[in-house]
Amino acid sequence: MRPFTYERAASPAAAIAAVTATPGAKFIAGGTNLLDLMKFEIETPTHLVDVRSLPLATIEDTEEGGLRIGALVTNTDLASHPRVKRDYGVLSRAIVAGATGQLRNKASVGGNLLQRNRCPYFYNTAVPCNKREPGSGCSAIGGVSRSLAVIGTSELCIAQNPGDMAVALRVLDARIEAMNAAGKTRTIPIAEFFRLPDFTPAVEFALRPGELITAVTLPPPIGGSHHYHKVRDRASYAFAIVSVAAVLHEDGTGRVAFGGVAPRPWRVERAEAELPQGSEAVVAAAFDGAKPTQDNAFKIPLAERALALVIAEGRG
C-alpha cells in the first residue's frame, strides 16, 4: 500500500471541496472495497477524505410515497428496515445474499454502488487490463472467463458487475442523487448509472469528477411478490455466477433483472413482456445479442433455470 494523507470531512460540501482540490483524492466510507484495491495497488489515492460522519445515514419516507436512503446507511440497516422488508422485499433479500454480516455492517449504500468489478485479471497487476490501464489490453479475452460477462461487453473488456443490491435497485427503478462542488444535486436513473465498457472500460459510472453520492431514492411500492435468487460457487461470501431479481404480479406480469452476467445489472424491459410465456422466452429476449465465451456460455441456460425457479416460487 502506498503512502497517503487523510482527513475527516465535516460536511458534504467540505468533502467534495477536498477531493476536488487534491489530485488523486478519493472519498472513503466503509472502505470494504477501496482498502482491498489499495492493498493490491490497483487504487493508489494520494489523499482519503472520510465521509462517515456526514449526515447521510437516514432512511426517510418521500412525499410521493417512496423512500429516500442516505448514502451512508449501512447494508445491514437497509436490509432490516421495516419499510424495506415490507414494501421493497427484493432489495432486502438481495442485500442479505451478499458478502457476510460483518461486511454488511460496514458497507455503505453509496460505496456498494461504486464497488469495482471482480475480474481476476483486473486484480492481477502483472497482466494488462484496460480498466486499470486504458489501452493496455484485456487479458480476460482469450483467458479464463468463467465468471465474466456474457452480454453488454466490448472488444476491450468483458468484466462483470459484481453487485447484489444494485440488481434489486435496477428492478425497483431507483434513482441516485449526486452532489457537485457547487453544492448542486442531480439525479441519475440507475438505468444510466452503470456504464457499459464500449471504448472506455475504465469509466464504470456516470458520476462526474468530484461528485459525491448523497442518497438513493426508491419510487412508491409496486406491489407483487419479491424474489432474489443467487447462484454461486459456495453458500456464502461468494459473488453471483448468475442472479435474478424479480417482482411478479398475479396476472403474470412483472419485472426482472439479472446479475453476474453483464458490466451492469442487466434488465431489458421489452423482455419482461414475455413473462406470461415463461422463463425461456424472457431469457431469449433479454440475452439477445449475447457474446459469451467458451468458458461462460453456460450462464445463459443457467439464467433461464434460475428465472424458472423464481417464477415457480411466485406462483406457489
Side-chain angles (χ1 to χ4, degrees), residues 93-158:
R93 290 176 172 84
I95 292 171
V96 171
T100 64
Q102 295 93 328
L103 286 172
R104 292 195 296 270
N105 288 343
K106 291 290 291 182
S108 66
V109 169
N112 189 297
L113 286 170
L114 293 173
Q115 65 178 308
R116 304 294 302 276
N117 74 92
R118 304 291 172 163
C119 174
Y121 297 98
F122 173 72
Y123 274 81
N124 183 355
T125 56
V127 300
C129 171
N130 285 322
K131 282 190 179 294
R132 284 197 328 269
E133 299 178 28
S136 64
C138 176
S139 299
I141 297 175
V144 178
S145 53
R146 177 179 178 274
S147 64
L148 303 180
V150 299
I151 195 165
T153 58
S154 76
E155 295 180 358
L156 300 180
C157 182
I158 60 172

